[in-house]
Structure formats: C-alpha cells, structure tokens
Amino acid sequence: MKVVFDPRQTAHAPETYFRRGGFITHPEQPQRAILLRDALAGAGHEIVAPADHGLEPLYAVHDRGYVDFFRTAWTRWVEATGSTEAAVPNYHTGRREGRVPQGVVGQLGYYATDTACPVMAGTWEAIYWSAQSAVDAADQVLAGARMVYGLSRPPGHHASWDASNGFCFFNNAAAAARHLRRKFARVAVLDVDTHAGNGTQDIFYGDPDVFYASLHVDPADYPPYYLGYGDETGRDAGLGTTLNLLLNPGDGDAEIGLAVDRALAAIRDFGAEALVVSLGFDMAHDDPLSVVRCTADGFAATAAKITRFGLPTVLVQEGGYLGPSLSDNAVVFLNACDAALAADAAAG
Ligand SMILES: [Zn+2]
C-alpha cells in the first residue's frame, strides 16, 4: 500500500509534558513516525512524499485565524517573551467565551485547550506536512486509488475548529474527509483510536454529509474527557450523523470487534460513498496510554473488516505511542488490508 509521509513532520519535537501532577517525557515523539515509516518500508510498503495542496484544505475545516496563527506563533513568541523554550499556554478562555486578543501569549491560550500542544521552532512545518500527507492520501483516492495511508504526525483528531488539544494541531482526518467531499456526496470517518476524536466530532457535528463514528474508551474518566459520550449524536442538519461507541477499561479484541461491526453498519445505513479511518494504534495492550487490550490479531481483524467494507478509503495515522508493538501493529494492519484487497481482486 502507498504510505504518504514527509520527513518535515518530525520538526515538532516536544520534550516534556505535564500530566497528573508531574512532568513526563512527551509521549508524542517524532520517533513514532520514523518507527512506523521504517517498519512499513521494511515490510514492502511504498513510501511516497505528499504534493503540496496549500492552505485551502486546512481552511476548509479550521478557523482561518487559527490556521494562520501557527505560521508565525513561534517567531512572535520569541520576540514577545525572549524565551526560546517551547511555548506552552498558561491562559485559557474557559468555555470559548471572549475574543481573540492581540498578543501572542493570549492568542496561544485562545487557540489551545491544554498543555499538550507546545509551539516550537519546527511546529508549523511539522503540522503543515502532517496535514498535507493526509490530504494527499485523500487526493490519490479521489484519483481512483482504492486505499492509501497518510502517515500523519503530529496526529489530528483532537484538534477542533479553532483549538489544539491532545497533541493535535490540524485535524488531518477531517481535512481528508472534506477533500473527499469534492467527489463523494457522503463521506464517513471511522475513528478507531482509543481516545474519542473530540475535534473531528466538533468539526462535523452539524454536517449532514459527513458521518462520524468512533469507538473509544468512555471519556467519563479518560481523555479527552469533555466530548465523546454516547448521547452526542449531532445537531441541526447533522442530527444522527455522530455515533460514539464506548469501551470500558480492560476490554479486548472481542468488545472492540463488536464496536467496529456496529460502526460499519451505521456507516452503511448512512450511505457513505468513501471512508476515512482515523487509525490509532493506542488500543494496543502494551501502549503506554492504553487501558484496553487490543492484540495484533485484533488489529488484523479490524483491518480486514474495513477493507472488505469496500469503499474508497483513506487511512490517517492518529495516536499510538512508544510501546513495544507500535510498528508491528502498523505492519499487521496494512498487511491485512493488502491481503483483503488481494482476495477481493482474486474473487473478481
Ligand atoms: Zn489516542
């Protein structure tokens, strides 16, 4: 399978993350992408560089001021504070009330919901090319490819219309889904990351043409905490186009498989013509952020179901952290997709 990746995505390299009362090594390391790329290349998947699709695919899913903020945020931060440490916001707007202020310190907090998304010298370059990798994968599907994988890093599904969250700046999967809408009347996003895709839900909540189905750990006591509940089903014209399927800590392949089945059945009922998969590997039993226990067989089963579902499909990398099985699970997943595609082709 084609794997779209640009090495500039590694330019954002946060060192520390404040969590549960202490500083830890930031889980969202550039090494994640390097491990995935190298393992997939070693397994015979073709690594290709994305074309530059410009800013329009980002403006299509984000506030224009939010996108533009990141182009100059680092330079302005250094000028304003004299600091060359990673810019971590320490003022926030509360529940989105208030207005965009003029200065970079206030803007940093306006456009962020947490401390997980520091702005650094290489942040713009990394998040721009992460998004371009997803959009380019979608572009290849628009051009007729059956399935392409955008190896996007930093991840995207926690990024909302105008705020970063949970290691995510630009919503790569949302940009891919909007891009697919150029050709396909109805598109679905299936999110199999272990965390709720609160940003993707936010972006498409009122959109009748994009169905968002996610399986994830119950957010009642797990990030992202504030969205991703079972009674959130969309609003206005988009009512009925959001489906959150909750897992419990300790769940394994069986429970995950049932949730995938339910999500795909709902996507079928919606009438989706193309699919974006927010592909996290952080359901893995040995992922450092995981509280569920997906095995390699579980990932292979999900991959086969998604492929046999039969739609033009963009896979977009989301979470999955530096546990022992990260790159193995990516290889298992993509190999299972290719095997199912080959079986389909043989069956005619
Ligand atoms: Zn995640």
Side-chain angles (χ1 to χ4, degrees), residues 157-158 166-167 191 193-196 222 280-283 289 318-321:
H157 73 148
H158 298 307
F167 319 144
D191 190 325
D193 185 282
T194 204
H195 301 94
Y222 192 71
F281 294 112
D282 47 8
M283 282 199 192
L289 300 188
E318 300 286 0
Y321 300 93

Side-chain angles (χ1 to χ4, degrees), residues 260-275:
V260 170
D261 293 343
R262 286 183 61 192
L264 288 174
I267 289 168
R268 179 80 74 204
D269 289 346
F270 172 72
E273 299 169 2
L275 182 66

